[in-house]
Amino acid sequence: MAAGSEIAIIGGGLVGAAIGLGLVRGGASVALYDEGDIAHRAARGNLGNVWVQGKGLASPPYADLTRRAALAWRDFAAALTDETGIDLRFRQDGAFFCCFTPEELDKRAGQLEAAEARSQIPSGYARASLSDMRADFPMLGDGVAGATFCKLDGMVDPLRLLRALLAAFQKRGGRYLPRARVESIAPEAAGFCIASASGVGHADRIVLAAGLGNARLAPQLGLEAPVRPVRGQILITEKLRPFMPRGISFIRQTADGGLICGESSEEAGFEEATTRNVLQDTARRATTVFPFLRDVRAVRAWGALRVMSPDGQPIYQRSASHPQAFLTSVHSGVTLAPFHAGPLADAIRAGALPDDIALPFSPARFHVQATRAA
């Protein structure tokens, strides 16, 4: 039987753990319900990029939210490491997005330039030629036409990040409930009744941060989570001597030396398996960037499911019918972690989402076209 809490968070991945840490830092009593490692953890399919460039191309609020979070990452990482002793392997030295044709480079540079003009927070975006890139990567292949570069982009180990968030959460008194898949949530006179695999619990407030599970739970609280799984496949190489002073969008060298490569986005339902054609395409693109990788062994590969809204942007919502219930559905759980542990957790603790979050990131935006058509 789970005891009562002031706030219950449903979902113990990167998003739920970050919100939970922010809430306990503010003095709230929090229970974090986690399905466990059988869950479709997006962190498993994440390269660990703290990524700005390209986010919010058509949405200035999303672009600025991402940039604000990236600017907070250095202090956020330092504080989390100080508190837990866990090295997050965080670096923020900027990163390249490779383009393979002049046309692709022109198109992407134009998109970023337009987004920069609409955003309030500068990203430090720049266009890089092949010779510019070779200052960092002299072994770069001739099949690369150039790149875009953003100084706010960086990287972190997503599994170390999750471990540190959970450790800090528990250290500050948060109750972590593993193997506690939530089956139903029922509003009651003073809060909510939570039926989970670990028993029945109660909370004054609820935060849904269950990733793909939000789609099932949200309607029980008058919330919306029109999210779907998007599969990504990851390829890992044998360990190499360090050679990457900064990241490339779909290639990152871990602190142990192996390269982690992947950028696929597939509509495959809840199937997590790998496929030969996608892994071959990933290897082809990686060896185009770095031809010497043709002689390097791939040692592991896996697939994982990411959480995607119809437009790829976050959903933040407070229930109109049950005002003590909140929902967060996010694709960028790594990049936005400082925001989730900071301003978002503060807003949830205060009991309301500010307009600059509630309005642009409401699921009501998905009904605009239908309303106009009617």
Side-chain angles (χ1 to χ4, degrees):
M1 175 79 69
S5 299
E6 179 186 353
I7 304 174
I9 299 175
I10 314 303
L14 288 173
V15 177
I19 295 172
L21 176 57
L23 289 170
V24 295
R25 280 176 172 172
S29 167
V30 182
L32 183 62
Y33 288 75
D34 186 10
E35 185 176 1
D37 286 339
I38 62 171
H40 297 292
R41 291 209 191 279
R44 287 198 293 259
N46 198 311
L47 262 68
N49 285 336
V50 175
W51 200 255
V52 168
Q53 58 169 306
K55 295 287 183 69
L57 290 178
S59 172
Y62 184 32
D64 287 331
L65 178 66
T66 300
R67 296 168 189 208
R68 195 172 290 114
L71 287 167
W73 243 104
R74 196 171 299 278
D75 288 344
F76 173 74
L80 195 53
T81 295
D82 285 347
E83 186 165 359
T84 64
I86 298 171
D87 181 1
L88 305 184
R89 308 283 170 83
F90 171 70
R91 293 170 53 193
Q92 196 170 29
D93 304 312
F96 292 106
F97 183 98
C98 283
C99 296
F100 297 95
T101 67
E103 294 77 16
E104 181 187 358
L105 179 57
D106 287 342
K107 179 180 178 180
R108 180 170 174 82
Q111 290 173 331
L112 295 185
E113 190 68 32
E116 196 77 356
R118 292 191 294 265
S119 301
Q120 297 180 10
I121 302 171
S123 70
Y125 142 79
R127 177 171 173 151
S129 67
L130 182 58
S131 61
D132 292 332
M133 296 181 71
R134 280 184 169 151
D136 288 323
F137 303 109
M139 71 294 287
L140 204 68
D142 293 332
V144 177
T148 56
F149 176 82
C150 178
K151 65 181 181 181
L152 292 181
D153 291 333
M155 62 188 73
V156 68
D157 185 318
L159 297 181
R160 284 174 171 264
L161 171 61
L162 178 58
R163 178 183 162 205
L165 289 170
L166 291 173
F169 170 76
Q170 293 176 87
K171 183 178 180 181
R172 289 178 175 263
R175 289 192 302 118
Y176 175 62
L177 304 174
R179 299 176 295 282
R181 174 186 165 90
V182 172
E183 299 299 339
S184 65
I185 306 169
E188 51 187 13
F192 302 89
C193 178
I194 305 156
S196 78
S198 68
V200 176
H202 300 270
D204 299 332
R205 276 179 274 180
I206 291 282
V207 181
L208 294 186
L212 295 169
N214 277 355
R216 174 176 58 88
L217 296 171
Q220 300 177 26
L221 300 172
L223 294 160
E224 293 183 65
V227 294
R228 70 187 193 281
V230 173
R231 183 173 66 190
Q233 297 186 40
I234 301 296
L235 190 67
I236 304 293
T237 74
E238 62 182 311
K239 296 178 182 179
L240 306 171
R241 288 183 298 178
F243 73 96
M244 296 187 71
R246 63 193 81 252
I248 287 174
S249 55
F250 73 103
I251 305 173
R252 181 171 71 82
Q253 187 168 28
T254 69
D256 296 327
L259 297 188
I260 178 169
C261 310
E263 59 178 345
S264 64
S265 293
E266 306 163 78
E267 302 291 342
F270 285 86
E271 177 56 65
E272 293 183 324
T274 58
T275 58
R276 183 184 297 272
N277 63 321
V278 169
L279 294 177
Q280 285 177 333
D281 186 62
T282 299
R284 177 186 61 78
R285 291 171 66 84
T287 55
T288 299
V289 176
F290 296 126
F292 79 91
L293 293 180
R294 295 189 183 101
D295 299 319
V296 171
R297 292 177 300 170
V299 295
R300 282 182 292 151
W302 66 87
L305 302 182
R306 305 184 184 108
V307 182
M308 195 65 65
S309 70
D311 61 5
Q313 297 179 35
I315 300 172
Y316 300 116
Q317 185 186 20
R318 179 189 182 194
S319 174
S321 56
H322 306 290
Q324 298 306 311
F326 297 82
L327 177 143
T328 299
S329 290
V330 176
H331 169 56
S332 302
V334 170
T335 301
L336 294 177
F339 168 71
H340 293 150
L344 183 63
D346 292 342
I348 291 171
R349 191 171 58 252
L353 299 179
D355 286 348
D356 61 346
I357 296 301
L359 296 180
F361 301 112
S362 166
R365 69 187 187 267
F366 304 124
H367 306 304
V368 171
Q369 294 299 326
T371 302
R372 287 177 179 171

